[in-house]
Amino acid sequence: MKNRTKIIVVVSVLIIVFLSIRNCSCSPTKTNEKPIVTSNNYLLTNPPLPELDIPYQKFEIDPSQPNVLFSQMGAKINIPSHAFLDKDGNVIKGKVEVSFREFYNPLDFYLAGIPMNHNDNGVDKVLESGGMVELTAKSNKAELFVNPSSKIKVDLFSWTKSKDFNLYDLDKTTGKWIEKGKDSISISNIDKELNSLTPIPSEPKIATPASFTLVDDTKVNPEIEEYKNVRFEPIDIETCKISDAQVMKIKSLNNGLYEVTSILKYGSFRKENKCLCYLAFEEGKDYNNALKIYQKKYSKLLAARKRLSDNIKFEWDKYYGVVNAYRKLEIKSLSGEEKIIRTLTINNFGFVNCDLPKDYPSGGEINPIYVDENGKPIVLNNVVLVEKNTNTLFRYSDNVKYNPSNNNLLWGLTNDNKIAFIKNADFKSLKNSTSKQKVRMHIHKEKVTTYEDILKVLF
């Protein structure tokens, strides 16, 4: 009986505990859910010449408000408010240091040691870049993470307006590129941008023999009296047939132009002529006074317009700098008349690339034994091939595949970090064979110390 009582008590306790747990699980508590952040360990890129790695630009910002940053090369970094999280998913409110750099061509990719290889459904390919950036952020020396509900966007110059490109993030733990969707493309030209500015009245013109004055002998058009010291300069003299008339009307079109209308009436006959004109003044005192009045009246508008116009021209100068670099490296032919901008969304801090998977070159292959110009064997490190009409790097550790029809450039670094290279003419003397053969490299004897040094040697 005593044992039975113990059993009943134990069962009762278990039932109570079960019901308590059940009731607890069925009564949700209110919690503040935080965004999940993932590890942002730094990728061990392999800059072959660390002293020539592409430098970062650093900005300190207040993350509680929107920020727009501009790089030295012309990229525009649009940072919304509350764009940064700490490792626990909390929104950062204190000062943030943003580090940014951009990469436009194969030499940039090479010096930064960025891997461009990509496995596309089991096939080894490389990524041809339409524009690449690296963006990281810290607060109090601690790395930060992207707020998925407030993402940063970067407007980057590009050589292509093709829609075949996709966005890729470089996974910092595996070194693999992960596809992240599409970017957006905008295209403009400098004339369109300047013409989109708010128009301002034209400056006074110096009168020519084609200009005319208006005099109201009838005194029935008092508004003409305002223009007694003014001449009207027709925009197109061939279409301007103003003559004596009973009625003259002047209409300001608010953009520095005036419409002068003459109306001739005889009984039921009526003839009306319109003439589009600028205001004009006799050269000398009349013109000088008119110009002073114009400049005083529109001083604020003229200053604001000049600032906007200068900014547009400044941004185009940056674009021309990138275009000229593309031309020099013979990557793609760009006219420079259109400015192509691709907008990259930052899903994770680190490397973000706008890319198109591309096959390795084919048609030619060599199994090289690298030698110097005297035939002495040398060891080459960081060997890459560039096709001068393609914006990517092909990296090789043994056999080199290439397309004999393309303009090829192969280079690497000797053990003492001198540049060894062969150019397209040198490829003509090579045998298309998988058998080992000597490849005589040109070695630049002097140490390269700047980006421009390498450009002069290779391109």
Side-chain angles (χ1 to χ4, degrees):
M1 183 72 179
K2 189 180 289 186
N3 290 337
R4 185 178 178 187
T5 301
K6 286 182 179 179
I7 293 171
I8 292 173
V9 171
V10 170
V11 171
S12 299
V13 170
L14 290 174
I15 291 173
I16 291 170
V17 170
F18 171 77
L19 290 175
S20 297
I21 294 172
R22 185 180 178 190
N23 289 337
C24 182
S25 64
C26 291
S27 301
T29 57
K30 293 183 179 180
T31 59
N32 293 322
E33 294 186 3
K34 296 177 181 176
I36 298 173
V37 297
T38 56
S39 175
N40 194 34
N41 297 325
Y42 288 105
L43 172 76
L44 296 178
T45 52
N46 184 30
L49 298 167
E51 67 277 14
L52 294 181
D53 194 2
I54 305 300
Y56 292 90
Q57 274 187 264
K58 295 185 182 295
F59 308 87
E60 187 177 82
I61 64 169
D62 177 359
S64 64
Q65 61 185 14
N67 290 270
V68 178
L69 310 176
F70 292 91
S71 77
Q72 293 172 347
M73 293 292 288
K76 181 180 179 182
I77 310 162
N78 301 282
I79 305 177
S81 57
H82 312 304
F84 305 94
L85 304 178
D86 65 16
K87 62 183 178 61
D88 299 316
N90 299 305
V91 173
I92 297 295
K93 298 179 181 178
K95 294 292 184 183
V96 168
E97 182 184 78
V98 174
S99 297
F100 178 83
R101 56 182 180 164
E102 60 219 284
F103 313 90
Y104 286 103
N105 58 60
L107 184 55
D108 293 348
F109 313 151
Y110 182 78
L111 292 177
I114 301 170
M116 299 299 288
N117 55 298
H118 177 63
N119 189 282
D120 188 10
N121 295 320
V123 179
D124 288 333
K125 295 190 175 186
V126 295
L127 293 175
E128 180 174 16
S129 178
M132 184 181 353
V133 302
E134 184 188 10
L135 191 152
T136 58
K138 289 183 178 182
S139 182
N140 294 324
K141 298 185 178 180
E143 67 166 328
L144 302 181
F145 304 84
V146 169
N147 185 347
S149 62
S150 189
K151 292 183 179 179
I152 298 169
K153 294 182 183 293
V154 178
D155 296 335
L156 192 68
F157 297 143
S158 180
W159 56 265
T160 177
K161 49 191 172 184
S162 169
K163 296 182 179 179
D164 294 333
F165 286 67
N166 296 314
L167 284 182
Y168 292 82
D169 286 353
L170 189 56
D171 189 303
K172 296 176 176 62
T173 56
T174 65
K176 295 180 179 179
W177 291 99
I178 309 299
E179 187 175 336
K180 290 290 184 178
K182 304 292 288 186
D183 61 345
S184 60
I185 306 168
S186 65
I187 302 168
S188 62
N189 63 63
I190 188 168
D191 290 336
K192 184 184 294 185
E193 289 188 23
L194 291 173
N195 290 337
S196 69
L197 296 177
T198 303
I200 57 175
S202 300
E203 286 188 4
K205 306 292 181 182
I206 296 177
T208 70
S211 64
F212 59 88
T213 58
L214 294 179
V215 179
D216 180 21
D217 294 328
T218 65
K219 307 299 181 184
V220 296
N221 300 113
E223 70 273 12
I224 291 179
E225 185 68 15
E226 297 178 31
Y227 300 94
K228 64 181 180 180
N229 296 322
V230 174
R231 300 185 73 85
F232 292 89
E233 184 77 26
I235 291 179
D236 183 358
I237 189 66
E238 296 299 324
T239 62
C240 192
K241 306 296 182 184
I242 297 295
S243 59
D244 292 341
Q246 289 95 338
V247 179
M248 300 292 292
K249 294 182 178 180
I250 303 172
K251 179 181 179 182
S252 172
L253 301 181
N254 298 320
N255 58 358
L257 298 179
Y258 289 79
E259 184 182 74
V260 179
T261 304
S262 63
I263 303 172
L264 187 62
K265 296 187 292 186
Y266 291 107
S268 60
F269 174 80
R270 175 186 173 93
K271 186 176 181 180
E272 185 174 300
N273 291 309
K274 294 182 183 293
C275 183
L276 203 57
C277 303
Y278 293 110
L279 292 186
F281 300 84
E282 294 290 347
E283 190 171 9
K285 183 178 178 181
D286 286 349
Y287 175 77
N288 293 337
N289 288 338
L291 186 59
K292 287 178 183 178
I293 293 170
Y294 169 86
Q295 291 171 339
K296 183 177 180 179
K297 181 177 180 180
Y298 298 111
S299 59
K300 290 184 179 180
L301 182 59
L302 290 170
R305 172 65 178 255
K306 186 177 186 306
R307 283 195 301 271
L308 292 172
S309 176
D310 287 348
N311 184 62
I312 288 174
K313 292 174 182 176
F314 179 70
E315 294 303 318
W316 272 85
D317 285 342
K318 288 184 177 180
Y319 180 64
Y320 291 140
V322 174
V323 167
N324 290 334
Y326 277 122
R327 288 173 178 164
K328 190 167 186 177
L329 273 67
E330 299 179 27
I331 297 166
K332 295 287 178 180
S333 59
L334 292 172
S335 67
E337 294 176 2
E338 287 184 331
K339 180 163 57 176
I340 305 166
I341 294 177
R342 305 189 82 104
T343 300
L344 285 56
T345 300
I346 306 299
N347 295 294
N348 294 290
F349 289 135
F351 288 92
V352 181
N353 202 352
C354 176
D355 285 298
L356 177 66
K358 185 177 180 65
D359 291 326
Y360 276 84
S362 61
E365 184 172 356
I366 56 173
N367 186 352
I369 300 172
Y370 297 112
V371 299
D372 63 16
E373 289 171 307
N374 297 319
K376 183 179 178 180
I378 58 174
V379 175
L380 277 193
N381 307 299
N382 295 291
V383 176
V384 295
L385 175 80
V386 169
E387 294 179 330
K388 289 194 179 179
N389 62 347
T390 305
N391 199 24
T392 191
L393 281 177
F394 301 99
R395 298 181 186 274
Y396 292 107
S397 57
D398 41 46
N399 286 22
V400 174
K401 295 181 179 180
Y402 65 100
N403 183 344
S405 300
N406 285 342
N407 191 340
N408 297 291
L409 168 65
L410 179 80
W411 81 81
L413 297 175
T414 64
N415 282 339
D416 56 353
N417 280 343
K418 290 179 179 174
I419 296 176
F421 62 92
I422 57 173
K423 297 189 176 182
N424 198 53
D426 301 302
F427 274 85
K428 306 301 181 184
S429 63
L430 299 177
K431 294 179 181 178
N432 180 5
S433 172
T434 56
S435 299
K436 284 193 174 294
Q437 62 178 300
K438 291 183 178 181
V439 178
R440 195 176 299 270
M441 305 296 292
H442 308 290
I443 299 178
H444 185 65
K445 303 300 182 184
E446 299 174 10
K447 183 178 180 181
V448 292
T449 58
T450 67
Y451 186 97
E452 289 70 24
D453 286 344
I454 301 179
L455 275 179
K456 291 177 183 177
V457 173
L458 295 176
F459 298 94

